[in-house]
Amino acid sequence: SQSPGMIMITVYSTFKLCLGTMYPAYNSYKAMQSMSMVEYVHCMTYWIVFSVLTLCEQLFDGLFGDVFPFYYEFKIIFLIWLVSPVTMGYSFIFTRIIHPIMVRVEVKVVKGMEKIIETGPFIA
């Protein structure tokens, strides 16, 4: 028998796959077909936010997954808010958090990438 925590991880993973990945992927396909620049920008914004949040999720799940009650239930509600065309949570996260950070660190990221390209990823 599975523990309640394992069941919620499975439920969340299913929600993330269907609602967080497949639904936006289909919307991205529709945006490409319609050639609507507005829809294309919405989709690109979503995928940027999704990528950053997936990275953060790897850190937070290990730290908080077993500590906070209803952690995975909260993540499901957050995912619904993020994806919903009514709330457009991805737009809020992008404009309020990700974009301001990227504006501040973009030059450093570009220089770091150039250095990696010049010298390789390993330092002797």
Side-chain angles (χ1 to χ4, degrees):
S1 161
Q2 288 186 342
S3 70
M6 289 303 295
I7 292 170
M8 280 313 302
I9 291 171
T10 303
V11 170
Y12 171 71
S13 296
T14 303
F15 259 86
K16 185 176 179 184
L17 177 63
C18 295
L19 189 63
T21 307
M22 297 307 297
Y23 173 70
Y26 178 69
N27 285 339
S28 298
Y29 168 76
K30 289 189 334 186
M32 289 173 62
Q33 296 298 92
S34 72
M35 296 192 170
S36 165
M37 185 56 74
V38 171
E39 288 303 313
Y40 185 76
V41 169
H42 283 214
C43 290
M44 289 301 297
T45 303
Y46 174 80
W47 289 117
I48 291 168
V49 171
F50 184 81
S51 298
V52 170
L53 291 178
T54 298
L55 175 67
C56 294
E57 183 178 46
Q58 297 301 311
L59 301 170
F60 294 143
D61 283 358
L63 295 173
F64 303 122
D66 295 330
V67 178
F68 290 109
F70 306 109
Y71 177 74
Y72 289 98
E73 290 87 340
F74 170 76
K75 286 177 63 170
I76 290 170
I77 293 167
F78 178 77
L79 185 60
I80 293 168
W81 173 79
L82 186 73
V83 174
S84 171
V86 174
T87 60
M88 291 179 61
Y90 65 89
S91 182
F92 179 85
I93 297 290
F94 183 80
T95 57
R96 297 288 178 106
I97 299 170
I98 295 173
H99 184 259
I101 291 170
M102 289 306 297
V103 167
R104 286 195 309 260
V105 301
E106 186 173 15
V107 171
K108 292 177 186 175
V109 170
V110 169
K111 286 182 181 180
M113 294 300 290
E114 288 171 350
K115 186 174 182 179
I116 289 172
I117 290 168
E118 288 174 12
T119 62
F122 303 106
I123 299 173

